[in-house]
Amino acid sequence: MIAPPALPKSRQQLILSILMLCSVLIWIENTVLSTALETLADPVRGLGADPGQLQWATGAYTLAFATLMFTAGALGDRFGHRTVFSSGLVIFAASSLWAAYASGASQLIAARAAMGVGSGLITPAMMAILMWTFTGPARAAAIGIFSTSAGVGMAAGPVLAGTLLDHFWWGSVFLINVPIAALAFIGLAVLVPNFRSPTPRPLDPAGMLLSIGGLVALAYGLIRAGQVTEWSRTDVWAPIVFGLVLLAVFVLVELRLKAPSFDPRLFAQRAFGGGNVALGLLLFGVAAITFYNAFYLQGALGFPPMKAGLANIPTALGALAGAPLASRLVRRLPLRLVAVPALTVGALTMGGYAFLGLQTPLVWIEILLLLQGLSVGMVIGPVTAALISDLPLEQAGAGSAVTNTVRQTGSVIGIAVGGTIMSIVYRRAIEPSLTGASGPVREQAQVSAEQARHVAATIHQPSLARAADNAFIHAMHVGAGWIAAIALLGTAVLLVTLPAAGKKKTPAPQPYREEARSAEPRSTA
């Protein structure tokens, strides 16, 4: 199908509803696991997963998502976006079922990686279908409505996960995906034409394999460092070096392609390159501090899953308010005057975890989370929009692929580094409290605070549980300082690379005018 058909308005609205349902599903999946981490670490109620396994359960999804994003758009151009979308839904539903009944942490990690593959196929196709379905002013309105699905998913995910965990077993947070995906699949088959590009982009299997291999090796080395608490071991530094080499080769391969899926040349543009680096550093901090927050609320403070889910709502509300607030501000002020202070506040809220303790009132935690969500929302939306809009139209698809991949990669590395810092510092902090303990008790207590609390209850030593809580709080304080420092680097990058004053530009020609409806919307816009 070369030109988008003139669909009836009622059918367009139904298609938008299906797309929003899928977007909410993806955003819910991005948030529910953080609520379930504490349960998964519990040896009785969950899988007894150690911190490294939980890092992989979180990172495997994001890693697969990140590395497939820039290839999925080309698949949609070639085979049809509805075909790719439907395939992604099938993979997502099947892997969710697998995750729900996983018998161990290794199976859960594999299932989560498969879920990331499904999400990576769904997201570019979802945006492509939206761009094909709507034209002119209706497209802008549809994008505005569609964007609210992110906030809905962010707010609903923790609450839904908390409710399910309070009443059912941990696998229910994944099982809920299956009926939603089935409903969306039926809607796609009935309502959505199989849009595809008349000029398919070439696939990039070499780039996809190199990027996956490089990120997996890098993440493995970083997570392994937290498990063995030594950086000098061969099984730590060798994977890190190998991963960096593969990523360097990936960049060289992409530079030699005429139409790369991931175009490193775009980083030569000062604002685009600096803005993406800053977004990657911000998402690094967000992923790491979210990982800490899950164990702080449910583990150290002892919140039940439902209360922990409700406690995280201010983050979603802040993000929902931050994006439109920033969009209004950048109409009157240069982007740098909006984004730099917002990113600074966001980094400081991450550092604010260094002041949280076992007796901190909930109201202070909620204020911190609200400020964090507000500041992050004020950065991601306007900076991403500015980076893409400043590119020539023919580079918009490649630019969007670069931006999405960098953001997801930042999240993967953030989970790996943040979790490793927490594991290393926790083990050193708990060590003095284990003097005189038996070998099995010592080994289990050193794994994580969750394991230490469990063994303390088994041997009736509440002092060990208190020591584990204190060791975790100390590890969180140290980690928060490093995370804030890394996020603040993003502030410095934005300050240097964004223009000091907004540039007045003539309006860009609209590529999707009614008389040019046969033009191809980029799949990853």
Side-chain angles (χ1 to χ4, degrees):
M1 188 173 295
I2 295 177
L7 300 176
K9 186 174 181 180
S10 58
R11 187 173 177 184
Q12 289 180 334
Q13 292 173 340
L14 288 173
I15 291 175
L16 180 60
S17 299
I18 294 296
L19 297 179
M20 290 188 67
L21 177 66
C22 293
S23 179
V24 170
L25 176 64
I26 297 298
W27 278 101
I28 286 177
E29 183 51 42
N30 285 339
T31 56
V32 294
L33 187 65
S34 62
T35 307
L37 287 174
E38 179 70 25
T39 303
L40 290 169
D42 191 288
V44 177
R45 296 181 301 131
L47 298 175
D50 61 43
Q53 291 170 326
L54 294 176
Q55 286 170 268
W56 275 115
T58 306
Y61 173 88
T62 310
L63 193 150
F65 193 5
T67 51
L68 195 61
M69 282 278 284
F70 60 81
T71 301
L75 291 173
D77 288 345
R78 187 175 297 268
F79 301 108
H81 295 294
R82 186 186 64 185
T83 300
V84 173
F85 199 148
S86 301
S87 301
L89 280 174
V90 170
I91 294 172
F92 188 84
S95 53
S96 296
L97 194 64
W98 181 16
Y101 293 100
S103 59
S106 298
Q107 279 194 25
L108 178 62
I109 293 167
R112 287 280 296 168
M115 291 173 71
V117 171
S119 295
L121 293 173
I122 290 170
T123 301
M126 185 163 52
M127 292 305 301
I129 289 172
L130 187 147
M131 299 294 285
W132 278 96
T133 301
F134 296 92
T135 58
R139 175 180 291 145
I143 292 174
I145 296 171
F146 179 80
S147 65
T148 62
S149 61
V152 173
M154 288 173 62
V159 177
L160 177 62
T163 303
L164 292 171
L165 291 171
D166 276 349
H167 294 88
F168 305 101
W169 94 112
W170 61 265
S172 60
V173 301
F174 302 113
L175 198 61
I176 193 65
N177 296 336
V178 178
I180 300 175
L183 178 62
F185 184 88
I186 295 171
L188 277 176
V190 173
L191 296 170
V192 181
N194 196 23
F195 303 117
R196 71 179 69 193
S197 169
T199 54
R201 285 174 285 160
L203 300 178
D204 187 12
M208 187 172 67
L209 290 176
L210 285 169
S211 59
I212 291 175
L215 286 174
V216 168
L218 180 60
Y220 175 83
L222 293 171
I223 293 173
R224 185 63 179 162
Q227 294 174 318
V228 301
T229 66
E230 289 183 28
W231 292 94
S232 58
R233 289 178 48 143
T234 305
D235 56 349
V236 172
W237 63 262
I240 293 175
V241 172
F242 183 63
L244 292 174
V245 169
L246 286 182
L247 292 176
V249 174
F250 164 67
V251 170
L252 293 175
V253 168
E254 297 300 294
L255 285 173
R256 299 185 65 179
L257 297 178
K258 291 184 178 179
S261 299
F262 182 97
D263 193 351
R265 300 176 189 88
L266 294 175
F267 283 96
Q269 302 181 28
R270 180 175 172 179
F272 184 86
N276 274 289
V277 169
L279 288 177
L281 293 171
L282 173 61
L283 270 295
F284 172 100
V286 169
I289 213 67
T290 301
F291 192 75
Y292 286 14
N293 183 59
F295 297 106
Y296 173 62
L297 293 179
Q298 294 186 57
L301 299 187
F303 285 9
M306 182 62 178
K307 186 176 180 180
L310 291 171
N312 279 300
I313 287 182
T315 305
L317 296 179
L320 276 173
L325 173 61
S327 68
R328 286 194 292 269
L329 288 174
V330 295
R331 294 173 194 161
R332 300 174 176 86
L333 299 170
L335 177 61
R336 189 164 79 168
L337 290 183
V338 176
V340 170
L343 182 49
T344 302
V345 173
L348 293 177
T349 61
M350 297 171 195
Y353 277 72
F355 300 94
L356 301 182
L358 297 174
Q359 306 300 325
T360 302
L362 179 59
V363 63
W364 293 114
I365 301 172
E366 298 297 87
I367 292 173
L368 187 68
L369 293 176
L370 179 64
L371 288 174
Q372 182 177 307
L374 181 68
S375 57
V376 170
M378 290 182 67
V379 175
I380 293 179
V383 171
T384 302
L387 298 183
I388 300 303
S389 64
D390 283 346
L391 292 175
L393 178 62
E394 63 273 12
Q395 292 183 316
S400 180
V402 168
T403 299
N404 283 318
T405 303
V406 168
R407 285 163 56 174
Q408 297 297 329
T409 301
S411 298
V412 172
I413 304 303
I415 293 166
V417 173
T420 293
I421 293 173
M422 184 177 69
S423 296
I424 292 174
V425 178
Y426 166 80
R427 288 193 181 191
R428 292 174 180 172
I430 193 70
E431 188 67 33
S433 302
L434 300 177
T435 304
S438 63
V441 170
R442 175 186 293 271
E443 290 178 7
Q444 191 169 358
Q446 285 180 327
V447 171
S448 66
E450 288 69 34
Q451 296 281 359
R453 295 186 196 104
H454 174 71
V455 72
T458 303
I459 64 176
H460 306 291
Q461 283 192 10
S463 60
L464 177 57
R466 288 193 298 270
D469 288 339
N470 291 327
F472 169 80
I473 292 296
H474 174 66
M476 184 178 74
H477 289 172
V478 174
W482 283 102
I483 292 166
I486 293 171
L488 280 172
L489 287 177
T491 301
V493 172
L494 280 185
L495 187 63
V496 171
T497 57
L498 290 183
K503 295 182 292 183
K504 296 202 172 188
K505 296 182 282 188
T506 56
Q510 292 296 322
Y512 305 115
R513 295 189 303 268
E514 290 297 322
E515 64 268 23
R517 291 181 65 190
S518 60
E520 176 210 357
R522 300 305 300 234
S523 306
T524 54

